[in-house]
Amino acid sequence: MNIKEKEQEIISEFEMFDDWMDKYNYIIETGKSVPVIDSQYKQDQFLIKGCQSQVWLQASMEDGRVVFKADSDALITRGIVGLLIRVLSNQPPQDIVDADLAFIDAIGLKEHLSPTRSNGLVNMIKQMKLYALAFKAKQQGT
Amino acid sequence: MSFNIEQLRREFPLLGQEVNGKPLVYFDNAATTQKPKAVVERLMEYYYKENSNIHRGAHYLSQQATEAYENARETTRLYLNAAFSHEIIFSRGTTEAINLVASSFSKKFVNPGDEILISAMEHHSNIVPWQMACQERGAILKVIPMNERGELLMEEYEKLLSNNTRIVAVTHVSNALGTINPIEEIIALAHQKGIPVLIDGAQAVPHMKVDVQALDCDFYCFSGHKLYGPMGVGVLYGKEEWLQQMPPYQGGGEMIKEVRFSGTTYNELPFKFEAGTPNVGDVLGLEAALRFVSYLRHDEISAYENQLMQYGMEQLQTLENIRFIGTAEKKTSVISFIFNDIHPYDTGIILDKLGIAVRTGHHCAQPTMDFFEVPGTVRVSFAVYNTRQEIDILVEGLKKVRTLFG
């Protein structure tokens, strides 16, 4: 599945929820299944600091696709991190750079991506795209 | 209780709204309080009828605005029971007031090797200005430690007061913990050694009567917006003897007597410290807030808020796995906690969905959070318009949080 298809899949899943409690329950559960970053990467180098919650992000290149692993100290943040990884991980670098991630708005979680939330998510997306750009440059270089 | 709570709440139109489809429960009062109609109407009246730049104006409006502004200074003097109205300096808020003293006082009185003493529970705005002053003057910042309840260690404080200490800067009430510090004793001990004391009163003034002459503090700072007044205005009280000796903080209009390219002479107090056009409208709004609080009476406010605090503690204690951060014997209007080991941000997001506004995070007091080894807390802070029913709603909300994260 490409990024757009994965986004659509998540949008359909969220359409089933009647109320916000179900939605947040799902996000929290998603948080529990995030491909957790190895503890060796839980260092400042991989830390994206937010005022309210923190995110660790690590990226690697496997068969021409970028693989992300991440973690957060807050579960809701981690759940949203999980959704972002589900969409962006295992995708070609150029697709990651181009992704507009419209699904976040469609599932009503846009408020969590406001820079004023200061939960590290805005910077995480930026960082994911930067990793993708770097891997792309490396690919072209070789 | 002499005031009717329902009637009082109607004075705060914002409180009547719904958030996320639920009636708003506003428990973020230590960050800022809501404004009563009297304050908002005063601002409107000023901008509709009185707006003019003050001092040195020959025309009618300027005279009126000047008089109103200086009357507000007198109202503030009376409110704090300062000896002279020229000891009242209007600032943008507590932060600017502390920066003013840290900068001007240090330029005159702090030299390399000298010490500045603050406490372990300060807000960043009573830490960073002093760090900057220390850096500039080659001085050393010393910190009064606290115990695990969030109370200052007074024996340690006494030991830290040395012949090199130039000033002590301590908060009256901790914004993150709610601790009321024994500032009378702190001031008296410093004065025995001839050391002046600055009190950060941002969290105290909304909850208790402050008499700067009875306290005998040398500087006292507070913000209007935490006291039902407008944002962007605050007060620095300083004893005349210190303010006279301190150099101006900023240069500009209003603070000068004569300007020649060869040199400038400065205006007298309080104008020396109020460079540029002052925030007249908000000063008048602040005056309305002081009148509002005086009308409600401080003893009545304290009694009511203490009841709320007690009820809040009782109800929150019925929840399992709640860890209170800051359990000082003397506290006011702040309950800080971590619930069920759930990250404060997670708790805050779910409470918000339920229409409950609390603050989560480090509360601009990172060293305090480090001391308690927590990333942050959930902070519930009360104002005079909060109710027991709202505390019940909070407790129910926390039960929902537990269900979700359990």
Side-chain angles (χ1 to χ4, degrees):
Chain A
M1 263 195 275
N2 65 28
I3 289 177
K4 271 282 157 233
E5 288 161 349
K6 285 196 172 178
E7 288 193 48
Q8 197 46 55
E9 190 183 60
I10 292 173
I11 292 170
S12 322
E13 283 170 16
F14 270 75
E15 275 167 0
M16 298 186 305
F17 302 131
D18 298 332
D19 68 359
W20 68 268
M21 280 277 275
D22 291 345
K23 194 156 96 179
Y24 275 81
N25 217 349
Y26 179 84
I27 294 168
I28 293 160
E29 287 307 312
T30 304
K32 290 176 183 163
S33 62
V34 172
V36 175
I37 200 164
D38 289 339
S39 54
Q40 65 185 97
Y41 293 111
K42 269 188 139 179
Q43 300 165 6
D44 282 358
Q45 195 190 337
F46 299 96
L47 177 66
I48 299 164
K49 247 188 144 96
C51 211
Q52 294 273 353
S53 61
Q54 312 190 19
V55 175
W56 290 267
L57 175 71
Q58 182 222 342
S60 58
M61 192 69 159
E62 288 171 27
D63 303 328
R65 285 162 185 266
V66 187
V67 175
F68 292 110
K69 288 179 178 172
D71 202 353
S72 171
D73 53 353
L75 275 180
I76 291 174
T77 306
R78 196 159 129 177
I80 298 168
V81 164
L83 293 174
L84 287 167
I85 286 188
R86 192 170 139 195
V87 170
L88 294 179
S89 194
N90 268 312
Q91 298 292 341
Q94 186 61 51
D95 291 4
I96 296 169
V97 173
D98 294 339
D100 65 0
L101 302 173
F103 81 103
I104 304 258
D105 200 3
I107 61 176
L109 291 180
K110 201 178 169 199
E111 56 180 294
H112 291 280
L113 290 180
S114 140
T116 54
R117 276 278 181 194
S118 195
N119 51 15
L121 282 171
V122 173
N123 286 333
M124 171 169 162
I125 293 175
K126 219 183 270 172
Q127 194 60 41
M128 286 171 118
K129 293 197 170 213
L130 281 174
Y131 272 126
L133 264 178
F135 282 125
K136 201 186 127 208
K138 224 169 162 187
Q139 248 180 347
Q140 285 165 346
T142 53
Chain B
M1 192 171 84
S2 72
F3 52 83
N4 173 315
I5 191 74
E6 285 310 317
Q7 211 176 329
L8 178 68
R9 283 179 71 86
R10 279 197 292 275
E11 294 298 314
F12 294 84
L14 183 142
L15 296 174
Q17 70 184 299
E18 290 194 343
V19 166
N20 288 321
K22 304 272 176 1
L24 168 67
V25 173
Y26 187 77
F27 278 149
D28 194 18
N29 296 291
T32 199
T33 54
Q34 300 308 334
K35 320 305 172 197
K37 284 180 193 164
V39 168
V40 181
E41 281 162 7
R42 184 68 191 92
L43 291 172
M44 280 172 58
E45 195 182 300
Y46 173 72
Y47 286 112
Y48 281 157
K49 295 182 191 159
E50 301 163 72
N51 177 50
S52 181
N53 210 334
I54 61 167
H55 299 139
R56 298 172 309 279
H59 61 87
Y60 172 80
L61 279 178
S62 177
Q63 298 264 341
Q64 293 292 308
T66 305
E67 204 177 309
Y69 182 77
E70 291 306 325
N71 281 344
R73 202 190 301 279
E74 175 61 14
T75 306
T76 311
R77 180 195 74 77
L78 281 168
Y79 190 81
L80 292 176
N81 191 32
F84 311 105
S85 64
H86 61 253
E87 292 178 324
I88 303 295
I89 314 287
F90 290 117
S91 69
R92 279 195 297 137
T94 309
T95 299
E96 192 182 52
I98 296 173
N99 272 281
L100 189 161
V101 179
S103 170
S104 293
F105 179 92
S106 303
K107 277 195 184 96
K108 174 90 179 183
F109 296 105
V110 179
N111 292 305
D114 285 348
E115 291 167 4
I116 290 171
L117 191 50
I118 62 170
S119 93
M121 64 173 83
E122 297 307 317
H123 187 283
H124 294 165
S125 57
N126 201 25
I127 302 174
V128 185
W130 300 110
Q131 282 176 328
M132 289 162 74
C134 283
Q135 216 161 18
E136 206 178 297
R137 309 298 302 165
I140 304 149
L141 193 68
K142 297 266 180 171
V143 181
I144 311 161
M146 62 178 158
N147 64 22
E148 69 289 346
R149 294 166 62 92
E151 296 164 324
L152 293 181
L153 300 178
M154 292 301 284
E155 326 80 70
E156 296 300 317
Y157 167 58
E158 274 197 75
K159 283 186 227 160
L160 282 164
L161 282 172
S162 80
N163 292 331
N164 296 325
T165 311
R166 289 294 158 266
I167 190 166
V168 176
V170 174
T171 191
H172 195 165
V173 170
S174 154
N175 77 306
L177 309 171
T179 310
I180 304 174
N181 283 320
I183 58 165
E184 296 84 354
E185 204 182 331
I186 288 172
I187 294 163
L189 285 166
H191 283 182
Q192 279 175 18
K193 298 202 165 194
I195 304 163
V197 180
L198 174 141
I199 302 295
D200 170 356
Q203 297 294 340
V205 166
H207 308 295
M208 59 190 75
K209 177 85 191 127
V210 171
D211 179 331
V212 291
Q213 288 192 84
L215 285 171
D216 199 24
C217 55
D218 301 273
F219 302 98
Y220 197 99
C221 317
F222 71 91
S223 298
H225 74 97
K226 293 186 199 289
L227 183 70
Y228 311 103
M231 285 186 171
V233 63
V235 171
L236 167 66
Y237 158 80
K239 274 187 190 161
E240 182 186 42
E241 56 175 296
W242 292 112
L243 293 178
Q244 291 286 18
Q245 296 180 74
M246 283 157 53
Y249 176 50
Q250 291 175 326
E254 191 85 12
M255 53 77 73
I256 50 91
K257 194 171 270 167
E258 266 192 340
V259 178
R260 298 280 179 277
F261 286 119
S262 54
T264 292
T265 50
Y266 302 128
N267 206 339
E268 57 207 27
L269 289 176
F271 313 112
K272 182 171 91 174
F273 290 108
E274 291 183 357
T277 295
N279 186 355
V280 182
D282 288 332
V283 162
L284 299 180
L286 170 63
E287 183 186 34
L290 297 181
R291 292 221 163 104
F292 178 81
V293 171
S294 302
Y295 172 76
L296 290 180
R297 292 175 49 139
H298 257 297
D299 48 349
E300 297 282 346
I301 294 174
S302 301
Y304 179 70
E305 287 180 345
N306 287 339
Q307 281 175 23
L308 270 184
M309 174 90 171
Q310 203 183 339
Y311 183 74
M313 281 303 287
E314 279 166 20
Q315 294 306 306
L316 288 169
Q317 271 164 349
T318 63
L319 298 165
E320 281 165 35
N321 280 330
I322 187 159
R323 179 187 166 201
F324 295 100
I325 307 293
T327 48
E329 202 178 312
K330 288 191 173 158
K331 277 189 64 169
T332 182
S333 295
V334 167
I335 303 178
S336 222
F337 61 87
I338 292 175
F339 179 54
N340 242 24
D341 289 327
I342 298 161
H343 196 286
Y345 181 70
D346 287 331
T347 306
I349 293 283
I350 300 304
L351 289 179
D352 175 57
K353 287 278 159 205
L354 296 164
I356 305 167
V358 296
R359 188 139 296 244
T360 62
H362 54 58
H363 317 298
C364 291
Q366 279 176 343
T368 307
M369 298 298 114
D370 291 346
F371 175 82
F372 288 99
E373 294 177 343
V374 292
T377 70
V378 180
R379 184 185 69 186
V380 173
S381 53
F382 304 117
V384 68
Y385 43 65
N386 287 125
T387 65
R388 287 180 171 225
Q389 291 92 306
E390 288 181 310
I391 291 170
D392 296 339
I393 293 170
L394 170 72
V395 171
E396 286 311 306
L398 286 169
K399 286 179 184 163
K400 279 222 170 80
V401 170
R402 182 166 55 202
T403 316
L404 268 171
F405 293 99

